[in-house]
Amino acid sequence: MIVSRVEADQVRSLAGVIFEPDPGLTVIIGPNGAGKTNLVEAIYFGLTSRSFRTSDRRDLIPFGSAFARCRVTVQGGGVDHVFMASASRSEGNRFTMDGARIEQAEAVLHRPKVTVFSPDRLELVKGPPAGRRAHLDSFVAARWPSRAGLRSTFGRILAQRNALIARISSAEANSSQLATWNSQFAEAGANLASGREAAVEALAERWVEAADDLGLEGPKGISYRPGSATTKEEIEAGLEERLEHDLRLGRSSWGPHHDEVRLELDGRQLRRFGSQGQQRLGLLALLFAERAALLDAGEAAPLMLLDDVMSELDAHRRGRLVERLLGGGQSVITAAEGELIPERQEISRVAIRDLVGADEERDNGEDPGAGSGGGTS
Ligand SMILES: Nc1ncnc2c1ncn2[C@@H]1O[C@H](COP(=O)(O)OP(=O)(O)OP(=O)(O)O)[C@@H](O)[C@H]1O
Ligand SMILES: [Mg+2]
């Protein structure tokens, strides 16, 4: 399945933008502030009805306008589907396929999965463990849809157990209900941990391979560090043992909500000691490892949306990245004007100014150049 057409009717600074990505690799090039990230966000929005930049979809509504809307045409298996996502201040969010409202769980069967890189996502490598847990859980959901609910189930039980612990600590409740919650916590926690363990197992070798290939040099590894025991019985027993401690703290101090996924280079945490470029390669390798795991499981290649991916990478590593992207699947990446993109014929290059219209071109004092219709070369 590929995205054949994107119509960003109104998304942030984009109005009436029509973009037809290549089935392989398209690079969107333009100066700062021209709307490259907005276009990548629009594609994601049209396919998923969400944004990878904000949890408030109303941010996508162009300033002074009433709604945001993007349509994305997906081609595959001889059938085209048109997805349409909109966000409106007065009418809320709408997500349709071929004109009929559709839920996420259904939509994902008819569209490519989407993998996103954005500079904000580096927080995933650099930041605290919570981001890595969330990311791993989303991979679990993509790889094993039947496990998609594990994270939210555990989160709900954790919140309820925490509330009960807090009430017991302040003598507003007694501990008689605790056994039920401990048992549910242990069951949901063990399920969550086993999903994460399976995910890291599926990713470990592939991460090393992708990282080597992208030029992240040195011995490396990815490992799952559980924040508690991982079987139901052990978790339940552990909760009993730690009850006094939890009551003193007023919350659950032990469980998979303390899990860590560790990325290591040369025996040290990439998070703490990696350079900017190394962290970027580590994250890209993770995304490629996920893609490889999905492909090996017989799934279609996800659409890769890589925003501002080239900066901080040297020429050699940019070349490696492009080779990998040309190796299969559909990708759309953005690059700032003047950023060097490896010279490869197969790359489709699109100048954002050719998409957003000639007026801005003149405002920027740029030479409109030839063939400003499609902008593809
Ligand atoms: N809701 C919105 N309505 C209108 N314009 C918006 C909205 N949100 C952001 N913008 C504008 O969009 C422009 C930024 O676009 P975008 O982030 O896509 O640029 P870019 O081409 O990715 O730039 P860079 O190379 O710096 O990453 C800014 O001028 C910003 O003010
Ligand atoms: Mg940008």
Side-chain angles (χ1 to χ4, degrees):
M1 276 186 281
I2 59 152
V3 167
S4 58
R5 188 177 167 89
V6 178
E7 293 159 80
D9 296 342
Q10 305 206 93
V11 180
R12 294 194 189 257
S13 65
L14 308 177
V17 166
I18 295 177
F19 168 53
E20 297 186 336
D22 192 87
L25 170 58
T26 308
V27 186
I28 300 167
I29 303 163
N32 298 134
K36 303 180 297 295
T37 302
N38 293 348
L39 180 55
V40 167
E41 186 184 29
I43 302 173
Y44 189 87
F45 178 58
L47 281 175
T48 66
S49 93
R50 291 189 298 254
S51 165
F52 57 83
R53 265 164 131 182
T54 168
S55 56
D56 188 348
R57 284 169 257 200
R58 288 172 300 184
D59 287 2
L60 275 65
I61 301 174
F63 302 145
S65 176
F67 66 92
R69 185 172 64 212
C70 185
R71 259 184 282 254
V72 173
T73 308
V74 170
Q75 227 171 46
V79 208
D80 281 10
H81 288 297
V82 180
F83 290 87
M84 196 278 300
S86 64
S88 143
R89 286 189 209 289
S90 53
E91 288 161 37
N93 304 313
R94 214 177 132 80
F95 187 39
T96 64
M97 184 177 82
D98 305 329
R101 275 186 188 269
I102 189 166
E103 296 298 322
Q104 285 302 333
E106 171 72 11
V108 78
L109 305 174
H110 304 285
R111 62 156 177 89
K113 293 195 168 120
V114 199
T115 298
V116 178
F117 172 90
S118 83
D120 294 346
R121 292 228 164 166
L122 283 166
E123 193 53 24
L124 226 161
V125 170
K126 293 186 203 184
R132 283 182 290 286
R133 284 194 294 272
H135 184 81
L136 193 65
D137 292 341
S138 69
F139 170 72
V140 169
R143 173 66 186 81
W144 300 285
S146 64
R147 286 170 143 153
L150 296 181
R151 179 181 171 85
S152 61
T153 303
F154 177 77
R156 185 172 42 78
I157 294 168
L158 172 66
Q160 278 167 330
R161 183 176 191 269
N162 278 346
L164 181 60
I165 293 267
R167 275 187 287 128
I168 297 171
S169 309
S170 56
E172 290 164 47
N174 64 42
S175 47
S176 61
Q177 289 173 35
L178 204 55
T180 322
W181 284 113
N182 283 357
S183 158
Q184 293 199 30
F185 181 109
E187 181 162 358
N191 289 339
L192 187 61
S194 90
R196 288 174 178 172
E197 204 164 23
V200 171
E201 200 172 300
L203 295 175
E205 262 181 47
R206 294 180 174 100
W207 183 73
V208 173
E209 198 184 288
D212 279 337
D213 189 45
L214 290 171
L216 182 64
E217 285 160 5
K220 60 189 85 62
I222 173 171
S223 58
Y224 173 54
R225 308 278 173 120
S228 68
T230 54
T231 67
K232 178 171 190 266
E233 295 68 28
E234 285 171 332
I235 297 177
E236 213 164 347
L239 290 175
E240 291 287 338
E241 271 169 40
R242 289 165 180 78
L243 183 57
E244 286 297 310
H245 182 61
D246 283 5
L247 287 173
R248 263 197 315 278
L249 281 178
R251 63 182 156 79
S252 308
S253 62
W254 191 74
H257 53 303
H258 292 290
D259 284 358
E260 168 64 304
V261 182
R262 191 175 280 196
L263 301 174
E264 283 184 350
L265 181 66
D266 286 327
R268 294 189 190 88
Q269 289 186 60
L270 195 55
R271 162 187 184 196
R272 294 174 61 190
F273 302 105
S275 74
Q276 302 273 25
Q278 286 171 335
Q279 290 174 338
R280 186 169 280 250
L281 292 169
L283 175 54
L284 284 167
L286 185 63
L287 302 180
F288 279 113
E290 292 169 5
R291 176 163 102 148
L294 291 174
L295 281 174
D296 292 349
E299 299 233 10
L303 166 66
M304 310 278 285
L305 298 177
L306 312 180
D307 186 32
D308 208 359
V309 70
M310 297 286 182
S311 47
E312 294 168 353
L313 297 185
D314 57 44
H316 171 66
R317 291 176 174 84
R318 286 175 186 198
R320 296 267 191 124
L321 174 63
V322 161
E323 289 309 316
R324 216 160 218 270
L325 292 171
L326 287 173
Q330 187 176 33
S331 338
V332 176
I333 77 177
T334 70
E337 192 95 351
E339 205 163 30
L340 289 174
I341 311 293
E343 288 296 330
R344 286 288 305 262
Q345 270 242 293
E346 301 95 316
I347 303 177
S348 166
R349 289 160 200 264
V350 173
I352 187 84
R353 63 171 173 263
D354 291 340
L355 300 177
V356 296
D359 292 341
E360 294 187 28
E361 211 161 60
R362 288 190 200 107
D363 288 345
N364 290 341
E366 302 265 356
D367 174 11
S372 56
T376 312
S377 59

